[in-house]
């Protein structure tokens, strides 16, 4: 009964939103709203971590800052974070538009969550030997790129790999955003929502 109420009121809210904004604007708003929340939480954790490092291990804090800024790693972390976030958020929003209940969403998003877990298996190897053939090959697969490339970049990779994976990631993100916008539009309107 409760799911029925939530679905009914959710449809009413979506109808009101669709009468005042376009589908890409609604989807973009959802993605940016969650991004704002995510960045706020990341900022709080980073602030807490920085405070702990500065107070309990000032030498380590200095070394970490020197590596992140000195090699430009902070720049690459930012690029891959933004691209990875946009890619996965658009994918989740597009799939979520077809879901009536949380159970439907869990069923559809389960395989994507398993794909997202694969790079974690190779994270240790990426740290130890960033140019290992398997890690190198997996980095070219866009769903794995935002996880593996920030770790591998510290190992002084060839510029062709960094630029190539970044360009491929940008192209994939643009394609997924376009596809998910269309899917969000169809999913939100075709089922009478």
């Amino acid at each position: 009964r409760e799911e029925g109420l939530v679905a009914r009121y959710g449809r009413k809210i979506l109808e009101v939103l669709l009468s005042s904004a376009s589908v890409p604007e609604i989807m973009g708003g959802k993605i940016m709203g969650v991004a704002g929340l995510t960045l706020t939480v990341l900022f709080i954790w980073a602030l807490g971590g920085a405070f702990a490092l500065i107070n309990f291990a000032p030498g380590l804090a200095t070394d970490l800052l020197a590596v992140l800024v000195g090699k430009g790693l902070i720049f690459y972390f930012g690029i891959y974070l933004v691209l990875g976030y946009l890619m996965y958020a658009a994918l989740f929003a597009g799939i979520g538009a077809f879901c009536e209940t949380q159970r439907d969403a869990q069923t559809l998003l389960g395989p994507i969550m398993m794909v997202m877990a694969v790079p974690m298996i190779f994270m240790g190897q990426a740290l130890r030997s960033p140019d290992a053939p398997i890690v190198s090959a997996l980095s070219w697969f866009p769903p794995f790129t935002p996880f593996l490339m920030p770790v591998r970049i510290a190992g002084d990779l060839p510029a062709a790999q960094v630029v190539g994976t970044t360009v491929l990631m940008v192209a994939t993100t643009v394609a997924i955003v376009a596809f998910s916008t269309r899917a969000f539009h169809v999913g939100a309107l075709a089922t009478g929502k």
Side-chain angles (χ1 to χ4, degrees), residues 106-189:
Q106 289 172 348
T107 301
L108 291 175
L109 295 176
I112 294 172
M113 298 305 284
M114 284 193 277
V115 167
M116 289 175 71
V118 170
M120 300 308 156
I121 297 168
F122 294 96
M123 199 65 72
Q125 186 175 4
L127 283 168
R128 283 188 305 276
S129 56
D131 48 354
I134 185 72
V135 176
S136 211
L138 288 174
S139 296
W140 287 90
F141 187 56
F144 301 160
T145 305
F147 299 103
L148 293 174
M149 283 306 291
V151 175
R152 293 185 64 224
I153 285 177
D156 295 324
L157 296 178
Q161 282 190 24
V162 175
V163 172
T165 57
T166 304
V167 167
L168 187 59
M169 183 78 195
V170 168
T172 303
T173 301
V174 168
I176 287 176
V177 167
F179 172 77
S180 293
T181 301
R182 180 70 182 137
F184 189 81
H185 185 268
V186 170
L189 298 177

Side-chain angles (χ1 to χ4, degrees), residues 14-131:
L14 191 55
E15 287 174 8
V16 170
L17 286 173
L18 286 172
S19 68
S20 60
S22 69
V23 172
E25 290 171 342
I26 293 170
M27 188 174 123
K30 288 176 73 134
I31 290 172
M32 290 299 132
V34 174
L37 176 67
T38 302
L39 289 175
T40 301
V41 171
L42 282 175
F43 177 74
I44 291 169
W45 276 100
L47 199 61
F51 178 77
L53 271 176
I54 290 169
N55 285 320
F56 299 112
L60 180 60
T62 305
D63 292 344
L64 184 61
L65 185 64
V67 168
L68 286 175
V69 174
K71 288 189 168 188
L73 295 180
I74 196 86
F75 170 73
Y76 292 115
F77 287 164
I79 287 176
Y80 287 115
L81 174 74
V82 168
L83 290 174
Y85 174 80
L86 285 175
M87 181 180 70
Y88 279 109
L91 187 62
F92 289 161
I95 290 172
F98 292 102
C99 300
E100 291 286 330
T101 64
Q102 280 187 334
R103 185 175 299 168
D104 295 342
Q106 289 172 348
T107 301
L108 291 175
L109 295 176
I112 294 172
M113 298 305 284
M114 284 193 277
V115 167
M116 289 175 71
V118 170
M120 300 308 156
I121 297 168
F122 294 96
M123 199 65 72
Q125 186 175 4
L127 283 168
R128 283 188 305 276
S129 56
D131 48 354

